[in-house]
Amino acid sequence: MLKLIKQTAFATAVVATALSSTMVSAAEKAMDTINFGIISTESQQNLKTTWTPFLKAMEEKTGYKVKAFFAPDYAGIIQGMRFDKVDVAWYGNKSAMEAVDRAGGEIFAQTVDATGNPGYWSVLVTHKDSPLNSLEDVIAKRGDLTFGNGDPNSTSGFLVPSYYVFAQNNISVSDFKRSMNSGHEANALAAAAKQVDVATGNTENMDRLKITAPKKFEQLKVIWKSPLIPSDPIVWRKNLPESVKGEVYDFFMEYGTTGDAQELAVLEALQWAPFKASSDLQLLPIRQLVLFKNRIVTENDTKLSKAEKAAELAVIDAQLADLNRQQSAITAMAQ
């Protein structure tokens, strides 16, 4: 009797495995179209013009029909992925985070800007003759310094330094002798003219300043760079068949890497260089910034009782601490 039970169980397992394999094979065979989501950064017509050659190349290389999926807003692409109407998509980091957390998405590639950078960095700049040479110098002498902070709505000029410079070092903008808020260019020019001792900015703006005001650029030095603010990710839905993922991944990793002039021209129209492999870990800096922004909102929420505020802040701080540990591990591995 025991032998019969074992034989029956084995046979059932074999049948279940066969059925599962058949179902997977059928699903992969049935899928002949990849719906590619494109976030609405500009008019649909402009997006079609720049994206069509790339999507046609993807069709030729993968063997799947590739259909552009446009929506009037980012949420439409996220929802499309959530309900399996979008298979692969180009997102910004914030929208990618929503797709990963709420729509079953997974990052597998990252765009690279035309100059080869996988993103950009927030910076602190000062005059080239300044005795300040590091963030540690700024922190130590902050009571005697005039600080050029960024626009409160700027990620790289305000939010990033607010977290990485101030919050992580338990200091405040109010610690400086004086501070003011300006845009990237105004801050850089003020530092070059010694109107402020140190100011925020970003690497993209510094590159532009090198072209638009080279003499002013020569008067500056960068004394601190933030962790990378990553370039836009490419995301697929996790439940995409593995064979489809393989074809898509190979296409993205190979496109433009052989020096083919046509492929490079297509990427140039998108303002990109060849792609790089990536993962959900790319979102760590963005998660830190979003949590920090939420912390500021919670701290300033007058509707919360003292106990409620303390409880919410404790949860956010624990989440930030976990992300900090992950970021430190990644940084250590990269060195």
Side-chain angles (χ1 to χ4, degrees):
M1 184 67 178
L2 180 59
K3 183 178 180 181
L4 179 61
I5 292 173
K6 289 182 177 180
Q7 289 175 337
T8 302
F10 176 75
T12 301
V14 170
V15 171
T17 300
L19 285 173
S20 176
S21 299
T22 301
M23 290 171 67
V24 171
S25 298
E28 294 187 359
K29 186 177 181 180
M31 184 172 177
D32 60 2
T33 300
I34 293 173
N35 291 317
F36 197 110
I38 299 171
I39 53 176
S40 54
T41 55
E42 52 186 302
S43 73
Q44 185 170 319
Q45 184 54 50
N46 287 345
L47 288 170
K48 280 184 177 179
T49 299
T50 54
W51 275 93
T52 295
F54 180 80
L55 299 183
K56 282 185 176 179
M58 188 173 172
E59 278 190 347
E60 294 171 2
K61 297 283 187 177
T62 63
Y64 293 94
K65 181 177 180 181
V66 180
K67 182 179 178 182
F69 185 97
F70 296 98
D73 53 29
Y74 288 26
I77 304 297
I78 296 168
Q79 285 296 93
M81 183 164 282
R82 180 184 177 190
F83 294 105
D84 294 352
K85 302 298 183 184
V86 170
D87 305 305
V88 182
W90 163 55
Y91 289 109
N93 283 290
K94 181 65 168 61
S95 52
M97 190 169 71
E98 296 292 323
V100 168
D101 292 347
R102 297 179 174 82
E106 180 181 46
I107 295 173
F108 71 94
Q110 181 186 39
T111 61
V112 177
D113 74 24
T115 64
N117 288 325
Y120 65 105
W121 294 262
S122 174
V123 297
L124 290 182
V125 298
T126 186
H127 192 275
K128 67 174 185 178
D129 297 331
S130 170
L132 303 173
N133 291 300
S134 66
L135 175 58
E136 290 71 25
D137 288 343
V138 173
I139 293 172
K141 301 174 182 178
R142 63 188 185 278
D144 299 320
L145 304 177
T146 299
F147 179 61
N149 205 358
D151 185 300
N153 292 315
S154 169
T155 297
S156 58
F158 186 87
L159 188 58
V160 171
S162 290
Y163 178 62
Y164 290 108
V165 172
F166 299 112
Q168 288 200 338
N169 291 290
N170 296 312
I171 64 173
S172 171
V173 174
S174 62
D175 294 344
F176 286 87
K177 181 175 66 177
R178 187 165 64 93
S179 67
M180 58 196 74
N181 298 89
S182 299
H184 297 310
E185 183 181 44
N187 271 338
L189 294 176
K194 297 185 178 181
Q195 294 169 345
V196 297
D197 297 301
V198 61
T200 67
N202 69 44
T203 51
E204 291 181 334
N205 181 256
M206 292 295 287
D207 289 340
R208 284 194 294 273
L209 192 70
K210 188 175 183 179
I211 297 171
T212 60
K215 291 184 178 180
K216 298 294 184 183
F217 175 82
E218 291 173 1
Q219 298 301 308
L220 296 170
K221 64 180 177 183
V222 173
I223 60 172
W224 173 83
K225 284 175 65 175
S226 72
L228 180 73
I229 303 171
S231 295
D232 295 341
I234 306 295
V235 180
W236 57 32
R237 55 181 175 89
K238 279 185 180 180
N239 60 353
L240 206 62
E242 288 301 319
S243 62
V244 179
K245 286 182 178 179
E247 294 286 351
V248 170
Y249 183 82
D250 289 345
F251 168 73
F252 272 87
M253 292 301 102
E254 294 170 5
Y255 194 77
T257 61
T258 62
D260 182 279
Q262 185 176 353
E263 292 183 359
L264 292 174
V266 170
L267 287 173
E268 185 179 0
L270 291 163
Q271 296 183 308
W272 291 338
F275 300 90
K276 288 190 175 182
S278 190
S279 73
D280 292 348
L281 291 175
Q282 154 172 351
L283 298 174
L284 275 178
I286 310 305
R287 293 188 184 281
Q288 288 174 311
L289 295 175
V290 170
L291 275 174
F292 180 61
K293 187 174 181 179
N294 292 343
R295 197 184 196 287
I296 293 174
V297 171
T298 301
E299 282 184 324
N300 296 327
D301 191 342
T302 57
K303 296 179 181 178
L304 293 175
S305 68
K306 189 174 181 179
E308 290 172 332
K309 185 177 292 189
E312 289 194 19
L313 289 175
V315 171
I316 292 174
D317 287 342
Q319 293 172 328
L320 279 170
D322 180 56
L323 292 178
N324 290 343
R325 287 190 290 271
Q326 293 181 56
Q327 185 68 60
S328 295
I330 292 173
T331 302
M333 290 174 64
Q335 292 176 346

